[in-house]
């Protein structure tokens, strides 16, 4: 950039973990009144860089300059004192604490807590930045969007000049994303310097004043805000990518999964799936779209049998599976890709080979009686490793040593290596790099083409558009509507916020949001593309 | 699994070398701390240190005499003769069994602090079969053995049931079950069924010779072979059976195991029952295994000693692997056998071996501390890290 | 967006609520438990003869209060019916959730009264209420102090299974230092130092060397037992007149208050440690919930990363909490020697540290609730001892098991999966 020294400058930042170089001589400039987008895939080193900047990691080389003065941060307190504020991807909020307690933490004043002063401070900040929060609300009882508001206010509390937003949109509804964008624009106009970390191209195009792309720990390029999504994607991934996969029209077949009046409660007793009914036919992909936390996770858990439903029925190929436990649903031919793969999908200390037979180990050929057949387990692993292109040193390596995408391939390989009547896949590509996404999507479509019914739960509209034959939108545990995959994005977004299809269509026509306006062109482009695709069928 | 490719094998070999080096260093450090403890707690020796600067030979000589005589007695008592080795195996047998019970729990993510109570219940039932029933020789041992296993399995299984069905934390429940087992034993020893005729103090009749583990050589008896068999069986169960696969999966990640169709609650109950069974076997060892005097100790309040708590250290030192547990059991068995001779020959209290045991485990559990204290190992670590690079 | 949508997003989501699985299980198991005990009481009622006498004063008290009697069969019968009714209310789910706590307390009192009446009926001696209260206080004092030590430790995210070991070393140190110096204050200071040193061992292995904390606690207990046992065998026992005959703390009556009948001597004529224990409950509650330090302690126990990102040193705060916890555990340990006979004996603490741990968990990591649970344990243990002296039909060994059985029932039936600090037992590594 220029030689002037205003703002925050990173020069040659290098950070290694053992032999792995997470950041390799990275330069980055952040100047007041500007939103600087740092774009890159998962694992590109964006978060590491920001943790270095925030004093959480010490760099192995390079310099941080603020207004031309070199800085050395050994803990976040120093970074904060230098005017840096961070909005973390995983909120740094203590859940059982109130908003006020979270805001005062680390900056409490006297030895005895002055809660009134803390409340006043929260109100003042909320007023000043027009982000209403209740000081005495307990964090864990607040919706995610409001929690993020607290996180932002916390970053602003000590008059931060430089704000880092680390993947802030991952957990938000499309409308909350719009609102966040508006907040970021207001802050920019107030003269704050903002770093916006993301891997979502659409958001970059909507808001960035400047774009820097990172790949494998290095800065690989800069781009103008007007750069097309395709170009940005290519820069980010390092090769031309096509996220739309070729997919034929679904061949209509019989209903395989029937869900009727399903009611499911979460662990705390809240009814999170409330009278849901739908069918999935063989050979079709039904996408359940919705913002995180609107009952999709519990719906999937009820299907596999992890949560017994309160009422309603589940029927798979004519067999009642309403009260079946996972062993029985798996036996009935249900494949299951859980939403939280680290937690529910595999056993981290187990080898790849063991994880590949996790739900079938008691069956032939993997065991005889109670004796394991290690040979058969290893042979199965070698076969699936090749078939699913699982990148691992050896099938005897623990699965925890694999990348996110390869872990997900193990899970999908395990599920797809059986004869399935239904595949339930929740967020199958979350946190997975682009190359693996293509592969996983292709395998899911292939499974559909074999006549399996596929229920895909996704909060990513890109994924919904790429894979769905029909889209079921859920909001607060209820079905808002079932629409086609070509439904415009803004309409879908409004439905995900609870509007019915007609309301959404009307509202979208009347009052386009700023983001929608900016990405309208992209949406049109996209619709044309999918029409073109339809033409190809 | 076991089919390891070359790089993995290499890494494992390096790891094992480090593990052994750390264990040896931990042992030496523990002996050093024990030596210091011996010196400062002996008024005569400690008193000599007033002359440290005027006549250094006096305190150092006294300290050396004290420590060397104690440790020499310890070594001789543990390893010094075939008879000493046999005594070591006798001490090790219950430690190995109970250690397997605790280790199995660890593998399943369960903290089985209840080996003590499980061993007590196992000992009660085995001893009762031993002194109350009249059975033919071989059958009698087998029935006593099975009764003890059943008792331990029951005592462990209840905990597993409570954990699985109510979510009660097994650490608290097993600790309480230890005390309840002690109470039951105390009560039983007041009842006519258990109290030795003609005695007022709580002690049971001696078990019949037909129900005693036959001796092999010196203090070595069949019970030690049973312990080795149990270790092999546990290894096979954990590493080579579908039950073990399930136990390990539930232990490492219950959510994923449940989602993969495994019954987490049932596995928890089974695991605790098997763990209890192994700890119960430790009770069997003390109830029908011949003691140093050649006959089994009759049932009394302190019958199992502290085997259940020692077992935790054995499992830790053996890294919850059956083979490791066998070695750890032999090590601590040697410490006990040697401790007895240390007490009788050098006049150093047996409790020192408990201190040594705790220290060894503490050092092994904190390799970082060992490396700080032993510079030689620190250098090795650098080499190893370089090797992995 | 329209303002309507934004308003929509602002409201806290309130879902239709059904009973959570946890709550249902807790309700059913406590209901079943109460109904079962109620039935047992009903059976016992018909085997109760005569009447039970309750003495409000000890034999030697200056002011003698009357001794009153309860008719055996009717009292036990009523107590049984009350317990059964509350149990049925829990099982049927008909009981208003807001009334449940009160109903459960009522049932608890009914169970106690019923059991004692059954045991004391037809026995010549009256049941000594003042003894019961005094014994409860004596037994609860070390438990309260120990559990507070655990509360501090675990709220900062370090599991403390080593309260027993801290007790043991502190009890030993208090006895020997007290014997040598013949001074209670010196003995107390020494006990505190011993408790803190044990806590430091816990901290260094748990925080610095990231050893599994449950396992560590067990090993530290073994270490404490071996260490005190060894020094006792080698040094103290051969010289017990010099090293194991510490002075005993004397009761300090508080003027006026101590002359209140019945409660006065129990609460206001006690040793310094009892007063310290009571004060400590409030002190720890104040520290944890009203001060900067407490906020930080709780934050590192719940979400250490969040604390780190606002510049709080997670390890330093944990060290402080663990060491301060050692102060309380040390005071509690001193009670076993200089609060009792003045002499140490091997494993003199007989599992009290584990009871303190149970109280901590049942009190859900809150200082006041945990202290109340500690008092409850003291009460049950004392009850067992009292009933033993009444020569009741139950074998004394079973009575002595009561506190342990009560713990299992409480942990399994009433509490279930209690939620502690989120990062309790999780070492913090960057």
């Amino acid at each position: 950039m220029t030689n002037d020294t205003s703002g925050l400058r990173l020069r040659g930042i290098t950070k290694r973990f053992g032999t792995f170089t997470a950041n390799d001589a990275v330069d980055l400039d952040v100047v007041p009144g500007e939103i600087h987008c740092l774009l890159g895939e998962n694992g590109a080193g964006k978060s590491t860089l920001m943790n270095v900047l925030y004093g959480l990691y010490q760099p192995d080389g390079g310099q941080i300059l603020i207004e031309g003065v070199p800085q050395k941060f050994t803990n976040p307190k120093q970074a904060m004192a230098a005017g840096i504020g961070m909005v973390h991807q995983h909120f740094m909020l203590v859940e059982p604490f109130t908003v006020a307690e979270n805001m005062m933490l680390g900056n409490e004043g006297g030895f005895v807590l002055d809660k009134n002063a803390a409340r006043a401070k929260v109100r003042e900040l909320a007023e000043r930045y027009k982000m209403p929060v209740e000081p005495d609300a307990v964090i864990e009882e607040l919706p995610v969007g409001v929690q993020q508001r607290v996180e932002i206010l916390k970053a602003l509390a000590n008059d931060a000049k430089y704000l880092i937003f680390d993947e802030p949109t991952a957990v938000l509804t499309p409308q909350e994303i719009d609102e966040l964008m508006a907040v970021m624009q207001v802050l920019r106009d107030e003269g704050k310097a903002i770093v916006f970390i993301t891997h979502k191209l659409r958001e970059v195009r909507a808001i960035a004043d400047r774009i820097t792309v990172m790949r494998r720990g290095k800065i690989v390029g800069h781009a103008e805000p007007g750069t097309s999504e395709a170009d940005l994607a290519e820069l980010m991934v390092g090769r031309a990518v096509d996220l739309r996969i070729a997919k034929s029209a679904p061949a209509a077949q019989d209903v395989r999964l029937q869900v009727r009046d399903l009611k499911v409660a979460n662990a705390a007793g809240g009814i999170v799936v409330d009278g849901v009914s739908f069918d999935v036919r063989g050979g079709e992909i039904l996408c359940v779209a919705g913002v995180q936390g609107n009952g999709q996770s519990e719906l999937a858990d009820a299907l596999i049998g992890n949560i017994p439903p309160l009422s309603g029925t589940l029927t798979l190929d004519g067999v009642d599976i309403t009260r079946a436990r996972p062993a029985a649903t798996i036996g009935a031919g249900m494949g299951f890709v859980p939403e939280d793969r680290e937690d529910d999908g595999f056993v981290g200390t187990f080898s790849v080979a063991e994880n590949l037979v996790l739900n079938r180990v008691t069956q032939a050929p993997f065991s005889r009686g109670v004796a394991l057949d290690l040979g058969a387990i290893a042979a199965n692993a070698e076969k699936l490793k090749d078939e699913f292109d699982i990148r691992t040193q050896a099938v005897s390596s623990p699965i925890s040593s694999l990348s996110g995408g390869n872990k997900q391939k193990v899970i999908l390989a395990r599920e797809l290596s059986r004869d399935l009547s239904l595949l339930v896949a929740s967020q199958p590509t979350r946190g997975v790099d682009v190359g693996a996404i293509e592969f996983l999507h292709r395998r899911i479509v292939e499974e559909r083409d074999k006549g399996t019914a596929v229920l895909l739960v996704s909060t990513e509209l890109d994924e919904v558009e790429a894979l769905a034959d029909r889209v079921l939108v859920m909001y607060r545990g209820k079905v808002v509507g079932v629409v086609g995959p070509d439904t415009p994005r803004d309409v879908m977004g409004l439905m995900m916020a609870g509007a019915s299809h007609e309301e959404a269509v009307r509202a979208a026509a009347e009052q386009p949001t700023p983001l929608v306006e900016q990405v309208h062109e992209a949406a049109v482009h996209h619709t044309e593309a999918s029409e073109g695709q339809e033409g190809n069928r | 699994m076991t089919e390891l490719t070359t790089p993995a094998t290499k890494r494992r070999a390096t790891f094992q070398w480090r593990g052994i080096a750390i264990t040896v260093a931990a042992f030496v450090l523990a002996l050093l701390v024990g030596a210091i403890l011996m010196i400062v707690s002996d008024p005569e020796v400690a008193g000599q240190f007033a002359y440290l600067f005027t006549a250094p030979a006096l305190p150092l000589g006294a300290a050396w005499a004290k420590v060397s005589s104690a440790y020499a007695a310890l070594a001789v008592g543990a390893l010094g003769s075939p008879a000493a080795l046999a005594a070591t195996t006798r001490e090790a047998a219950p430690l190995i069994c109970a250690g397997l019970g605790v280790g199995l729990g660890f593998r399943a993510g369960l903290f089985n602090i209840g080996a003590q109570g499980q061993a007590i219940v196992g000992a009660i039932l085995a001893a009762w079969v031993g002194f109350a029933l009249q059975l033919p020789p071989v059958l009698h041992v087998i029935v006593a053995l099975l009764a003890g296993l059943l008792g331990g399995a029951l005592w462990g299984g209840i905990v597993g049931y409570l954990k699985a069905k109510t979510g009660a934390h097994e650490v608290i429940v097993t600790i309480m079950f230890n005390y309840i087992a002690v109470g039951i034993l105390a009560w039983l020893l007041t009842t006519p069924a258990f109290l030795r005729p003609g005695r007022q103090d709580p002690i049971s009749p001696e078990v019949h010779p037909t129900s005693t583990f036959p001796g092999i050589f010196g203090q070595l008896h069949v019970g030690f072979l049973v312990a080795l068999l149990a270790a092999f069986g546990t290894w096979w169960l954990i590493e080579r059976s579908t039950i073990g696969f399930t136990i390990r999966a539930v232990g490492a990640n219950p959510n994923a195991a449940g989602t993969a169709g495994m019954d987490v609650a049932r596995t928890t109950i089974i695991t605790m029952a098997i763990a209890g069974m192994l700890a119960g076997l430790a009770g069997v060892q003390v109830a029908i295994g011949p003691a140093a005097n050649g006959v089994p100790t009759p049932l009394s309040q302190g019958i199992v000693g502290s085997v259940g708590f020692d077992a935790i250290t054995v499992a830790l030192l053996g890294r919850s692997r059956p083979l490791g547990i066998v070695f750890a059991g032999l090590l601590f068995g040697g410490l006990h056998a040697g401790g007895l001779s240390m007490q009788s020959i050098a006049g150093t209290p047996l409790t020192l071996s408990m201190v040594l045991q705790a220290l060894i485990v503490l050092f092994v559990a904190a390799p970082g501390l060992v490396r700080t204290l032993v510079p030689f190992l620190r250098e090795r670590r650098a080499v190893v890290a370089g090797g992995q690079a | 967006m329209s303002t309507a949508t934004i308003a929509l997003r602002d409201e806290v989501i309130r879902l239709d609520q059904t009973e959570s699985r946890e709550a249902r299980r807790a309700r059913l198991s406590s209901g079943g438990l109460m109904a079962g005990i109620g039935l047992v009481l009903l059976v016992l009622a018909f085997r109760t003869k005569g009447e039970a006498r309750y003495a409000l004063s000890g034999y030697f008290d200056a002011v003698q209060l009357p001794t009153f009697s309860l008719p055996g069969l009717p009292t036990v019968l009523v107590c049984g019916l009350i317990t059964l009714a509350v149990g049925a209310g829990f099982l049927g789910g008909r009981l208003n959730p807001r009334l449940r706590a009160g109903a459960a307390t009522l049932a608890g009192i009914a169970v106690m009264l019923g059991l004692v009446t059954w045991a004391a009926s037809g026995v010549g001696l009256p049941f000594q209420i003042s003894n019961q209260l005094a014994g409860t206080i004596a037994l609860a004092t070390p438990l309260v102090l120990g559990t507070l030590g655990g509360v501090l430790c675990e709220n900062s995210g370090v599991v403390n299974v080593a309260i027993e070991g801290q007790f043991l070393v502190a009890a030993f140190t208090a006895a020997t230092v007290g014997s040598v110096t013949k001074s209670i204050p010196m003995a107390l200071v020494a006990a505190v130092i011993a408790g803190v040193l044990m806590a430091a061992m816990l901290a260094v292995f748990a925080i610095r060397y990231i050893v599994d904390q449950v396992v560590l606690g067990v090993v530290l207990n073994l270490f404490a037992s071996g260490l005190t046992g060894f020094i006792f065998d080698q040094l103290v026992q051969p010289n017990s007149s010099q090293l194991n005959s510490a002075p005993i703390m004397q009761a300090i009556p508080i003027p006026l208050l101590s002359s209140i009948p019945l409660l006065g001597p129990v609460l206001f004529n006690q040793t310094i440690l009892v007063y310290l224990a009571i004060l400590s409950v409030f002190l720890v509650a104040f520290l944890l919930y009203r001060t900067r330090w407490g906020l930080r302690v709780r934050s590192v126990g719940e979400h250490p990363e969040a604390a780190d990102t606002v510049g709080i040193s997670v390890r330093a705060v944990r060290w402080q909490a663990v060491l301060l916890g050692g102060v309380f555990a040390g005071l509690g340990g001193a009670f076993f020697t200089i609060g009792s006979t003045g002499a140490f004996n091997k494993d003199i603490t007989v599992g009290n540290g584990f009871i303190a741990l149970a109280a901590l968990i049942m009190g859900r990591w809150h200082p006041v609730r945990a202290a109340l649970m500690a008092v409850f344990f003291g009460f049950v243990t004392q009850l067992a001892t009292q009933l033993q002296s009444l020569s009741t039909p139950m074998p004394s060994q079973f009575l002595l098991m009561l506190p342990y059985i009560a713990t299992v029932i409480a942990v399994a039936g009433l509490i279930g999966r209690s939620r502690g600090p989120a990062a309790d037992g999780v070492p913090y590594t960057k």
Side-chain angles (χ1 to χ4, degrees), chain A residues 134-156:
Chain A
E134 173 55 47
D136 289 321
V138 176
I139 294 295
E140 60 195 352
E141 289 168 9
L142 290 175
V144 176
V146 181
Q147 289 187 15
Q148 186 173 57
R149 226 179 275 167
V150 179
E151 180 84 3
I152 296 172
L153 287 176
K154 207 174 116 187
L156 290 167

Side-chain angles (χ1 to χ4, degrees), chain C residues 249-420:
Chain C
M249 286 187 293
Q250 298 303 315
I252 306 168
I254 292 179
L256 295 178
L257 291 175
S258 61
S259 47
I260 301 170
L262 188 61
L263 288 180
V266 171
L267 288 176
F268 302 111
N269 187 16
Q270 293 284 4
T271 61
I272 183 76
L273 265 186
V274 174
Y275 299 134
L276 272 179
I278 297 171
L279 286 179
S280 299
V281 177
F282 298 104
L283 176 69
V284 171
F286 174 78
L287 277 176
L288 272 181
Y289 299 103
R290 290 275 183 274
T291 69
R292 172 175 68 196
W293 185 75
L295 188 75
R296 293 181 171 197
V297 167
R298 286 183 296 132
S299 75
V300 300
E302 279 289 341
H303 196 339
E305 293 83 8
D308 195 1
T309 54
V310 293
I312 295 170
S313 165
V314 175
R315 290 177 168 196
V317 172
R318 285 186 171 172
W319 263 95
Q320 293 160 8
V322 173
L323 292 185
L324 186 60
V327 171
F328 293 105
L331 286 174
F335 194 85
F336 293 95
T337 49
I338 57 171
S340 175
T341 63
F344 180 81
N345 220 320
K346 275 204 254 182
D347 294 321
I348 194 172
T349 52
V350 289
N352 272 281
F354 293 117
I355 297 287
L357 177 68
L360 159 71
I361 292 175
M362 287 162 61
R364 283 178 245 166
W365 291 269
H366 187 284
V368 176
R369 281 198 299 257
L372 286 175
M373 291 318 296
V375 172
F376 168 75
F377 278 121
F379 183 86
V380 175
T381 313
Q382 176 62 17
L383 192 63
T385 323
Q386 292 255 102
L387 292 182
Q388 215 178 337
S389 65
L390 290 180
S391 60
T392 55
M394 209 192 281
S396 62
Q397 289 86 359
F398 279 100
L399 289 172
L400 292 174
M401 275 188 250
L402 265 183
Y404 308 119
I405 295 174
T407 309
V408 171
I409 288 173
V411 171
L414 308 176
I415 312 287
R417 273 174 246 265
S418 44
R419 184 188 150 204

Side-chain angles (χ1 to χ4, degrees), chain A residues 55-112:
Chain A
L56 284 166
Y57 295 150
Q58 312 316 313
D60 298 311
Q63 230 183 359
I64 300 167
L65 299 146
I66 289 179
E67 307 287 345
V69 183
Q71 309 282 329
K72 186 158 169 48
F73 303 141
T74 53
N75 67 50
K77 197 117 194 166
Q78 295 166 346
M80 281 187 279
I84 298 171
M86 184 138 163
V87 176
H88 299 266
Q89 181 180 8
H90 304 289
F91 303 150
M92 290 298 161
L93 300 173
V94 183
E95 297 222 310
F97 283 15
T98 64
V99 172
E101 284 174 325
N102 268 292
M103 296 283 279
M104 65 159 72
L105 186 64
N107 208 354
E108 298 91 345
F111 182 71
V112 177

Side-chain angles (χ1 to χ4, degrees), chain A residues 19 304 306 326-327 330 336 338 342-347 349-351 353-354 357-359 361-362 367 369-372 374-375 377-378 393-394 396, chain B residues 1-5 7-8 11 236 238-246 248-250 252-264 388-389:
Chain A
T19 56
I304 186 71
N306 267 341
I330 292 166
F336 191 71
E342 303 277 340
D343 220 36
D344 302 322
F346 56 80
V347 178
T349 52
F350 273 29
S351 68
E354 286 175 309
V357 293
L358 200 62
N359 55 17
V361 76
T362 53
S367 59
V370 293
L372 296 173
L374 298 183
I377 292 172
Q393 219 175 23
S396 59
Chain B
M1 311 281 354
T2 47
E3 289 86 353
L4 288 160
T5 54
R11 202 165 47 232
W236 188 88
I238 295 176
E239 305 292 343
R240 288 285 185 275
S241 78
T242 55
I243 301 168
F245 188 92
T246 310
R248 285 184 289 128
V250 168
N253 187 345
N255 292 334
T259 305
M262 298 173 187
D263 190 329
V264 176
Q388 276 172 339

Side-chain angles (χ1 to χ4, degrees), chain A residues 333-406:
Chain A
M334 191 185 298
F336 191 71
V337 179
E339 172 184 326
D340 186 340
R341 65 175 164 263
E342 303 277 340
D343 220 36
D344 302 322
F346 56 80
V347 178
T349 52
F350 273 29
S351 68
V352 172
E354 286 175 309
N355 273 296
L356 281 168
V357 293
L358 200 62
N359 55 17
R360 277 196 296 167
V361 76
T362 53
Q363 296 163 13
F366 306 119
S367 59
R368 281 171 310 233
V370 293
L372 296 173
D373 187 335
L374 298 183
I377 292 172
N380 172 66
E382 290 297 344
K383 188 182 123 232
L384 292 177
K385 176 185 170 219
D386 295 340
E387 190 185 333
F388 282 81
D389 188 28
I390 298 165
R391 312 266 170 89
T392 171
Q393 219 175 23
V395 293
S396 59
S397 309
I399 190 171
S400 53
S401 66
L402 271 56
S403 72
N406 280 298

